[in-house]
Amino acid sequence: MSNVDVLKTRNQDFAASFAQGDLVPLPKLGMIIVACIDARVDPTTVFGLELGDAVVLRNNGGRITPAIIDEITALSLLVGRVTGQDAPVFHIMLMQHTKCGAQQFAVPDFQAQIKERAGIDVSASAITDPKSDLMVDIARLRDAPNLHGGLTVSAMLYDIETGQAHEIATTQSLDELRANAADT
C-alpha cells in the first residue's frame, strides 16, 4: 500500500463519521496560528485543535514574512466582509520550536547556495534564536501598515523533546505594540 493509499483510507474513515458539513468558515477560537512546516510540529495536535477551531498558516521556521502578512491582511478583510465588522477579530499566535531546521537558513554559505540555485532569499525565514526571533516577528506584525491595530498577538515556543509549549510573549494588540514602540 502506498502512502497515498494510506491517506485515502484514513480519509474514508474520517468521512464515514463526518458530521461537520455545516461549519462556518470563521475559526471558532478566533485564532490564526503561524507555525513551522516541520512535521514534528503540528499545531492541531500540540494544542488539541478540532476542525474549525483555528486558521493555521505554516512556512519554513514559522516566520512572519511578507507573504504571511499578506495572508493575514486578506483574511482579516474577508472576515470583515463576511461579518460586516470593520475591525478584525483575530488573535495571531506565533509558534516556533526548538531544534528547527530553518536554523540552517542562517548559515551564510547555505543562504548563498539557495539564492544561487533557486533565486530564493531565505534570510527572512532563518532561525537564529527562537525566543528573539519570535520578538522580531512580533515587530514585523507591529510594523505592517495594512494590519488593523485591533488584532492581538502572542508567541509560544514549542519544545519538541518535551511536548510543552512555553509562552514567550503575552497577548498584546498591535495598537498597544505600536504605542509602546512610539514611546521608545
Side-chain angles (χ1 to χ4, degrees), residues 14 21-22 38 57 59 87-88 93 101 103 134 136 142 154 159:
F14 170 79
D22 60 346
D38 189 314
L57 302 176
N59 66 12
M93 179 191 288
Q103 290 172 315
L134 283 164
V136 166
R142 177 198 68 211
S154 64
D159 186 324

Side-chain angles (χ1 to χ4, degrees), residues 23 158-159:
L23 281 176
Y158 174 68
D159 186 324

Side-chain angles (χ1 to χ4, degrees), residues 110-123:
F110 189 51
Q111 277 186 5
Q113 182 183 30
I114 292 172
K115 183 74 168 174
E116 180 181 317
R117 285 189 179 177
I120 300 169
D121 179 2
V122 294
S123 60

